[in-house]
Amino acid sequence: MNKRSGDQLLLPVNPVFIWVTLLVGLMITLTPIGRTPWMPDPLLVLVVFWALQQPRRIGMGIAFVLGLCIDVQFGALLGQHALAYTLIVFAVQALQRRLLWLETPGQTLYLLPFFFGAEALEVAIRVVAGGVFPGLSIFIAPLVNTLLWPIASYLLLAPQRRPPDPDENRPL
């Protein structure tokens, strides 16, 4: 990860923490509270976050498998969420260096079209397969996903933040 002046140096992330957060996101997404059109996709936000922060650990394969889990749970067309998750992770990893240079509000604005694109792709696949168009309210979910980004970014980077250590012998 690139270091801007004034940024805090982060500790290495624990791989167990990555997998626990993804499992918690999967469990939240799989809760049987009903799939309303405006319901955010916390698993997608977590997959995008870890694909951006740790691209060597979380990539398109993990995104595809988690998308298949969502497809099976919701009874959706098999591969609908998997394709959307995979494409958004591909786009985020292709622009990873640019995204990491941005502050969290900039990342939020930059990721808004990605979340909209993933939702539009899912709706397009559903409609092409013979489903009905759920209405424009389906596009509220990407806005909620985008609003979750700063919260997720702050909470998921919190364990990696190093406490300030004013030691004259170590500049870091």
Side-chain angles (χ1 to χ4, degrees), residues 58-82:
I58 303 298
M60 291 184 288
I62 302 296
F64 186 80
V65 169
L66 291 173
L68 282 179
C69 291
I70 299 301
D71 288 334
V72 169
Q73 172 64 23
F74 290 136
L77 184 66
L78 194 62
Q80 170 183 330
H81 289 89

Side-chain angles (χ1 to χ4, degrees), residues 15-16 21 23 37 39 41 55 57 63 73 75 79 108 115 118 134 136 139 156 163 168:
V16 175
T21 57
L23 285 175
M39 181 75 82
D41 192 353
R57 294 181 194 257
Q73 172 64 23
T108 304
F115 289 132
L136 293 178
F139 293 108
L156 295 174
E168 295 124 18

Side-chain angles (χ1 to χ4, degrees), residues 37-55:
W38 53 267
M39 181 75 82
D41 192 353
L43 181 62
L44 178 62
V45 174
L46 289 171
V47 167
V48 168
F49 177 82
W50 288 122
L52 176 64
Q53 295 292 328
Q54 298 292 321

Side-chain angles (χ1 to χ4, degrees), residues 55-134:
R56 292 185 178 156
R57 294 181 194 257
I58 303 298
M60 291 184 288
I62 302 296
F64 186 80
V65 169
L66 291 173
L68 282 179
C69 291
I70 299 301
D71 288 334
V72 169
Q73 172 64 23
F74 290 136
L77 184 66
L78 194 62
Q80 170 183 330
H81 289 89
L83 179 63
Y85 281 25
T86 305
L87 288 179
I88 195 169
V89 166
F90 173 77
V92 164
Q93 287 183 342
L95 298 171
Q96 179 204 16
R97 290 180 184 258
R98 184 177 300 172
L99 282 168
L100 288 177
W101 272 100
L102 296 172
E103 298 289 332
T104 303
Q107 288 177 357
T108 304
L109 291 175
Y110 214 93
L111 290 173
L112 179 64
F114 292 147
F115 289 132
F116 268 107
E119 192 70 34
L121 180 64
E122 291 175 14
V123 170
I125 290 171
R126 196 174 318 140
V127 169
V128 167
V132 295
F133 183 70

Side-chain angles (χ1 to χ4, degrees), residues 15-34:
V16 175
F17 180 69
I18 294 173
W19 290 106
V20 166
T21 57
L22 288 175
L23 285 175
V24 167
L26 181 64
M27 294 302 154
I28 291 171
T29 305
L30 296 181
T31 53
I33 56 176

